[in-house]
Amino acid sequence: RLASIGAVADGVAHEINNPAGILVARTDYLLSTIEGRPAYAEICDDLDTIRRQAQRIAKTVRDLLTFTRPTPLYREVFDLKPVVESALALVRPLVPGSRIVFEYRTSMEPCRVCGDRDRLEQIFTNLLTNAAQAIRGDGRVVVTTSVLPDGGVEAIVRDSGIGIAPEHLDRIFEPFFTTKAHGAGTGLGLSLAYAVIRY
């Protein structure tokens, strides 16, 4: 199944990413020409929506390619805390106007891990996005990182959302499995996270 998906993804990635990139570039240009002009406020909102959706298309293709044709991880030793903070900074603007509080709790000492910094940031971004989407109305997402007695690092993401139905627990890492509404998710986020951590 994955081999077939990989062949299809390779074949269409170029055709999809090129127009998606053009859409992002052109909307950026148009937004720059009307920035700060109140008469065009409504158009700005529409253009921003077009840009975000084009970026979403490109991200979906990248995720599909990453999963079906994984590239070698770049391993290095680094402090995990700035990675978590960067992921939080990326996710917070995605839930504008909501009453979801994002909180980060960590130890004073560096949480040093060995791994691929960019992939780990992607994992935390996916986890935080899922956590925020599971919350209805007011809520809280709490990330905790700490150094364990044996020198290892533990990272936990908790949310006050609706949780996962027991019948779905054994499928959460299954590629393309999602309980989100049609078009709201690809079902690749957790399977990608699992693949990177396991590797």
Side-chain angles (χ1 to χ4, degrees):
R1 180 184 180 187
L2 288 180
S4 298
I5 293 169
V8 173
D10 280 341
V12 302
H14 180 74
E15 298 300 326
I16 292 177
N17 280 334
N18 270 0
I22 291 171
L23 283 172
V24 172
R26 296 304 294 174
T27 51
D28 281 342
Y29 169 73
L30 291 172
L31 283 167
S32 69
T33 63
I34 60 177
E35 186 178 4
R37 300 167 70 177
Y40 294 97
E42 187 175 340
I43 295 176
C44 282
D45 290 341
D46 289 336
L47 288 173
D48 188 58
T49 298
I50 292 170
R51 178 177 59 181
R52 285 188 285 106
Q53 294 305 314
Q55 290 172 332
R56 180 181 170 191
I57 291 169
K59 180 183 182 301
T60 299
V61 174
R62 286 197 305 271
D63 286 349
L64 193 57
L65 288 173
T66 298
F67 189 78
T68 58
R69 191 186 58 196
T71 55
L73 299 180
Y74 176 74
R75 296 180 180 275
E76 61 178 323
V77 176
F78 57 91
D79 186 357
L80 187 62
K81 291 193 282 188
V83 173
V84 176
E85 291 165 355
S86 179
L88 284 165
L90 287 171
V91 173
R92 282 191 179 102
L94 300 180
V95 285
S98 75
R99 291 175 293 184
I100 298 174
V101 176
F102 290 89
E103 183 179 346
Y104 182 30
R105 304 171 184 171
T106 186
S107 54
M108 293 296 293
E109 66 267 41
C111 295
R112 298 195 181 279
V113 297
C114 180
D116 188 308
R117 187 190 304 263
D118 291 338
R119 298 288 182 86
L120 283 173
E121 182 178 304
Q122 180 186 16
I123 286 174
F124 278 102
T125 300
N126 286 341
L127 291 176
L128 291 167
T129 301
N130 284 351
Q133 291 174 342
I135 295 173
R136 305 290 184 262
D138 296 350
R140 182 178 296 272
V141 177
V142 180
V143 187
T144 305
T145 53
S146 58
V147 180
L148 300 175
D150 63 0
V153 171
E154 181 178 65
I156 300 173
V157 178
R158 295 187 177 93
D159 65 72
S160 59
I162 57 177
I164 302 171
E167 63 268 24
H168 295 152
L169 285 174
D170 62 346
R171 300 189 64 190
I172 58 174
F173 297 117
E174 180 182 316
F176 309 107
F177 173 76
T178 180
T179 58
K180 296 177 183 176
H182 179 68
T186 62
L188 283 173
L190 288 180
S191 55
L192 280 169
Y194 180 73
V196 170
I197 293 299
R198 183 178 59 181
Y199 187 81

